[in-house]
Amino acid sequence: QVKLVESGGGLVQAGDSIHLACVVSGGDFRSIYWGWFRQAPGMEREFVAAKDWSGQWESIRDHLLGRTAVSSDNAKATVYLQMTGLTTEDTAVYYCAGSSIMGATQAPQYEIWGHGTQVTVSS
């Protein structure tokens, strides 16, 4: 059974950066597409970024381009999300997820989910 564990969240100030990690265990890291989503209170879960293990495919939400990066360390079976220039609108629970669908950017396309890590941005 594949298990995802996120870390790196916390309370940060506006303008700061975050570097989240998602450790994958119990599955074939290279056979799954890895994504990051976030959900703010009262809002729907939204796509942030995703990639495959090889680096041949990557997708980042349009309005987050320029301050968001997704990467992975295949040897450590870990996916990372880095965001800079944080604002209070980035406050949310950030989830790591896995999909068997190539190019998946929609939450329903992801079969595996972590429990999430809270990121709170103070002004």
Side-chain angles (χ1 to χ4, degrees), residues 33-94:
Y33 297 87
W34 302 106
W36 286 95
F37 289 77
R38 67 184 183 181
Q39 188 167 20
M43 304 294 286
E44 292 187 355
R45 193 168 296 188
E46 70 171 10
F47 172 75
V48 176
K51 71 182 298 294
D52 70 350
W53 71 272
S54 69
Q56 293 183 335
W57 174 73
E58 178 182 303
S59 179
I60 297 175
R61 192 175 187 87
D62 285 347
H63 75 266
L64 299 178
L65 287 169
R67 64 185 189 95
T68 301
V70 58
S71 60
S72 64
D73 184 331
N74 297 334
K76 296 181 178 180
T78 301
V79 186
Y80 302 99
L81 178 70
Q82 188 166 9
M83 297 182 65
T84 62
L86 294 173
T87 73
T88 56
E89 294 185 352
D90 294 312
T91 294
V93 178
Y94 284 72

Side-chain angles (χ1 to χ4, degrees), residues 10-16 85-91 119-123:
L11 176 63
V12 298
Q13 293 187 334
D16 283 353
L86 294 173
T87 73
T88 56
E89 294 185 352
D90 294 312
T91 294
V119 173
T120 303
V121 184
S122 65
S123 59

